[in-house]
């Protein structure tokens, strides 16, 4: 994987989800792990603005291919 990878989980989600998200971020050279405070497993459903902000920040920080 030669593109940035955003791996995010909610602070209120299950630990096994958080562990797998951290593993994904650590497994790729350009991985980034983010915890969304107050969110559960469905961060895109419960905290859509925070999720959109994370995606936008990755897009803004990623040079065009």
């Amino acid at each position: 994987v030669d593109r940035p990878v955003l791996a995010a989980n909610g602070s209120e989600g299950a630990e096994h989800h958080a562990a797998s998200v951290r593993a994904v971020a650590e497994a790729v050279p350009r991985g980034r792990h983010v915890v969304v405070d107050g969110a559960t497993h469905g961060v895109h459903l419960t905290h859509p603005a925070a999720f959109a902000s994370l995606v936008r920040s990755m897009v803004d920080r990623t040079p065009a291919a």
Side-chain angles (χ1 to χ4, degrees):
V1 176
D2 66 350
R3 305 305 298 166
V5 173
L6 174 63
N9 64 282
S11 65
E12 303 304 312
E15 178 51 35
H16 67 276
H17 289 149
S20 62
V21 169
R22 285 190 301 270
V24 167
E26 293 169 1
V28 294
R30 297 172 68 190
R32 177 179 171 215
H33 175 230
V34 177
V35 177
V36 178
D37 191 41
T40 60
H41 178 66
V43 64
H44 64 293
L45 299 173
T46 62
H47 292 69
F51 180 74
S53 178
L54 289 173
V55 172
R56 174 53 55 200
S57 73
M58 287 297 286
V59 170
D60 290 346
R61 295 168 46 182
T62 304

